[in-house]
């Protein structure tokens, strides 16, 4: 039996994708082998890899002057790879701090260059985005980094910042959740384990003029230019994760592409926030203008009921609702593979729980 899985990542994958992978597991397209058992340099696998890239380009409408890189080391490796590739050692770089993941990106970048925290949401306890008029951007930053969606805090930018330096975005928990204008960005990166596929893969989309600037000492596997020149096969890539991401991209196209997917995600989020706001029992602390469509944290009126809520939710097939250990409470992640029926079931459960305990 499949449950409704609200995990923040690794997260739910589309059932149709898992079933296709299962059906192809031992005899992949008549080869008599699993896709995991063939060379990454074989014609058959290269076709899979190229098709995945083509489908991702189609979904996000990625312009031709951007490279798509399939990397390892998660988004965390990119926290270091970004300054190594885009900023000389004496460079100044701007970061917007809107929560836990921005903070991690900042502390890693600070090991490689001078970081200016141009805006800090500390005063709002990381429940909002500081007004643009308060941002203190540098004159000549090598780039501006931000986290469009904070997975833990549930804070999401509803806009793309207007900056003159190349804009770098950690889209780990929002990529593919709706259409975006890639041309506004210098670099987009995302760990795969939410809206792309299995953990072990990290996708980067980088504008051509930002390639070839890696500082001395950058490991070869993290040098964007070298990786791009090798078609992301400088060494053995995570072939199964890449194949599965390709199946997810095909599934997204069959769903009608990102405009359709985005509308569904908006409806899912609206349903859950409405349930929370109208309850008088549940509470979401985030400024309504910056509420995430993908990660919805919420508190119960009485934290003493948290454990009962989780136990009963589990029994009802609603899984992985516990909030991040750093903030407590609950969190429902509503990535692409989570259907609206899951949100309806959660919403009904929440109302019933409130009637019984509120
Ligand atoms: N950035 C964001 C926004 C995330 O949500 C996460 C993981 N939850 C990371 C970075 C770190 O990703 P990884 O574990 O792939 O290194």
């Amino acid at each position: 039996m499949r449950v409704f899985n609200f995990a923040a990542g690794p997260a739910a994958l589309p059932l149709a994708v898992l079933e296709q992978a299962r059906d192809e597991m031992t005899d992949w397209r008549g080869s008599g082998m699993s896709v995991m058992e063939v060379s990454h340099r074989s014609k058959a696998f290269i076709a899979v890899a190229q098709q995945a890239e083509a489908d991702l380009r189609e979904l996000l409408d990625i312009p031709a002057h951007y490279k798509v890189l399939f990397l390892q080391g998660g988004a965390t490796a990119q926290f270091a790879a970004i300054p190594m590739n885009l900023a000389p050692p004496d460079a100044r770089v701007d970061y917007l701090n809107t929560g836990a993941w921005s903070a991690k990106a900042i502390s890693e970048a600070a090991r490689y260059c001078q970081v200016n925290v141009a805006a800090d949401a500390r005063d709002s306890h990381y429940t909002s985005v500081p007004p643009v008029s308060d941002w203190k951007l540098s004159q000549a930053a090598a780039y501006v980094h931000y986290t469009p969606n904070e997975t833990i805090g549930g804070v999401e930018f509803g806009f793309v910042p207007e900056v003159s330096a190349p804009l770098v975005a950690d889209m780990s928990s929002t990529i593919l959740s709706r259409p975006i204008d890639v041309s506004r960005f210098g670099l987009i990166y995302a760990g795969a384990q939410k809206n792309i596929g299995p953990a072990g893969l990290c996708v980067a989309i980088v504008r051509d003029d930002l390639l070839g600037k890696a500082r001395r000492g950058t490991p070869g596997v993290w040098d964007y230019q070298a990786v791009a020149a090798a078609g992301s096969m400088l060494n053995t890539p995570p072939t199964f994760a890449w194949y599965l991401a390709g199946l997810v991209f095909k599934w997204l196209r069959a769903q009608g592409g990102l405009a359709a997917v985005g509308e569904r995600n908006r409806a899912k989020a609206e349903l859950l926030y409405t349930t929370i706001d109208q309850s008088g029992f549940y509470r979401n602390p985030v400024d309504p203008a910056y509420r995430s469509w993908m990660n919805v944290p919420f508190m119960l009126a009485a934290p003493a009921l948290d454990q009962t809520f989780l136990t009963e939710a589990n029994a009802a097939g609603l899984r992985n609702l516990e909030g991040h250990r750093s903030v407590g409470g609950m969190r429902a992640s509503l990535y692409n593979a989570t259907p609206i029926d899951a949100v309806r079931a959660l919403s009904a459960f929440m109302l019933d729980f409130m009637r019984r305990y509120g």
Side-chain angles (χ1 to χ4, degrees), residues 233-259:
M233 294 202 194
L234 202 97
N235 67 329
T236 316
T239 50
F240 188 72
W242 196 333
Y243 150 82
L244 213 92
L247 298 187
V248 171
F249 300 153
K250 281 260 183 278
W251 177 81
L252 286 170
R253 291 191 62 183
Q255 299 299 300
L258 298 191

Side-chain angles (χ1 to χ4, degrees), residues 24 33 48 64-65 67 100 111 152 192 243 249 271 319 336:
E24 295 183 339
M33 293 176 280
V48 166
H65 62 293
K67 297 284 186 287
R111 302 173 63 201
I152 296 175
Y243 150 82
F249 300 153
L271 173 56
R319 299 291 164 83
N336 290 339

Side-chain angles (χ1 to χ4, degrees), residues 298-300 302-311 328-330 353:
F298 61 93
M299 312 294 159
L300 275 59
L305 287 171
D306 282 1
Q307 205 41 58
T308 312
F309 182 94
L310 287 169
T311 306
M330 307 296 149
F353 186 88

Side-chain angles (χ1 to χ4, degrees), residues 13 17 22 44 52 55 68 81 96 117 154 156 161 185 204 248 281 297 331 342:
L13 285 163
V17 164
R22 177 199 60 200
D55 285 330
V68 175
L96 309 181
V117 178
E156 180 151 23
F185 299 88
V248 171
F281 179 79
R331 173 177 49 172

